[in-house]
Amino acid sequence: VPNLQHRQAIAAALDRGQVRTISGGKYAGTLADGVIKPNLPADYAESGMWTGLLGGEIPDAGDPELAKQLIEESGEPMPEIRFDYSQTPERDKEAAAVVTSLKKAGINVRPNPIEPGQYYSIVLDPEKAGEVMWSGWGPDWPNASTVIPELFTPAGGFNLSQIDDADFSSRVQEAKTNTDRTSQSEQLKELNKEAMEQVWAIPTLFGRTQTMAGSKVRAASGENDNVYVWAPYSSW
């Protein structure tokens, strides 16, 4: 979707609250405002995406009137959007929520369910991908330098938005090679905010999972008789 205000309109119209409800409500996660999640505390900062960054405060259910205004200001008619998603019963419901909420702003969405095993071979191919697609990402280790470069630069490997902005990529590289962790954090926060302002992705959830462990789980030595979840990886 090359028109910035069209992308902003899609974000403004989306009922993120309904997406969260379908995913499992509070058990599925918290509503996201960017691609850097709060359990990377050194690199996370509120982006302002839903509190003014796109031109107004946007409720969880979306703001179709703001979306209509953005489309009008764009000077171009909004094209039909094909929404690619990996088909499961839950994703079918999410796709229906996307179609319904965007239609309130006059945005026509054609859902395109894809067999899960074929999904990424299609959406990672610019010749086959639709305008908008569902995806998720998590950091490879507790540093957002494993998030921003991967998602928003041609060299990243998971650039679903097909972004090739030379200035942005240059600043991403500067952040990746910055060995001063404090200033690197500030760079990553600003890059996240800029990506959201440009709506290269629409954040929905900072995802959560529920796990259980037996009370008698312990190391073979008999020590450490409690297991715990390590936050950066959300795993034991």
Side-chain angles (χ1 to χ4, degrees):
V1 183
N3 187 301
L4 170 59
Q5 288 174 305
H6 286 177
R7 298 196 300 273
Q8 292 175 330
I10 294 168
L14 181 64
D15 188 338
R16 296 168 290 111
Q18 181 69 2
V19 169
R20 180 176 183 247
T21 298
I22 291 167
S23 297
K26 67 180 182 179
Y27 294 101
T30 56
L31 289 172
D33 67 342
V35 295
I36 299 175
K37 56 185 182 177
N39 68 346
L40 298 181
D43 299 331
Y44 174 76
E46 293 183 7
S47 71
M49 187 167 193
W50 311 119
T51 56
L53 194 65
L54 304 184
E57 187 156 339
I58 302 171
D60 300 347
D63 185 340
E65 295 307 313
L66 175 59
K68 290 176 184 178
Q69 177 185 327
L70 288 162
I71 295 169
E72 183 177 354
E73 292 173 355
S74 76
E76 298 178 7
M78 171 67 78
E80 180 180 81
I81 301 299
R82 191 184 95 189
F83 175 54
D84 295 341
Y85 67 96
S86 180
Q87 188 172 31
T88 66
E90 179 182 306
R91 300 284 174 237
D92 282 336
K93 293 177 183 178
E94 287 180 0
V98 172
V99 171
T100 301
S101 57
L102 269 60
K103 189 173 183 179
K104 293 177 182 178
I107 304 171
N108 293 319
V109 178
R110 177 166 58 92
N112 181 42
I114 300 171
E115 192 276 319
Q118 301 177 12
Y119 183 68
Y120 281 109
S121 66
I122 292 174
V123 298
L124 285 168
D125 184 341
E127 298 299 319
K128 298 178 182 178
E131 286 74 30
V132 178
M133 67 282 293
W134 175 95
S135 190
W137 187 260
D140 295 292
W141 54 82
N143 188 305
S145 65
T146 66
V147 178
I148 299 294
E150 302 302 320
L151 300 183
F152 303 125
T153 69
F158 206 68
N159 185 14
L160 288 169
S161 299
Q162 301 175 27
I163 299 306
D164 189 0
D165 183 301
D167 176 66
F168 187 87
S169 293
S170 176
R171 286 182 284 123
V172 167
Q173 186 61 26
E174 288 177 11
K176 282 180 66 176
T177 56
N178 185 355
T179 58
D180 183 319
R181 190 68 179 94
T182 300
S183 63
Q184 182 195 51
S185 295
E186 295 306 311
Q187 289 173 310
L188 291 166
K189 290 172 185 176
E190 285 301 314
L191 290 165
N192 177 65
K193 182 177 179 178
E194 182 174 340
M196 294 305 97
E197 187 174 27
Q198 293 294 321
V199 195
W200 290 334
I202 300 173
T204 52
L205 294 180
F206 292 132
R208 288 177 173 160
T209 58
Q210 284 69 54
T211 52
M212 297 175 64
S215 60
K216 296 182 180 180
V217 174
R218 64 190 65 212
S221 64
E223 299 175 352
N224 301 322
D225 60 352
N226 291 309
V227 295
Y228 68 94
V229 174
W230 191 48
Y233 282 159
S234 297
S235 62
W236 303 119

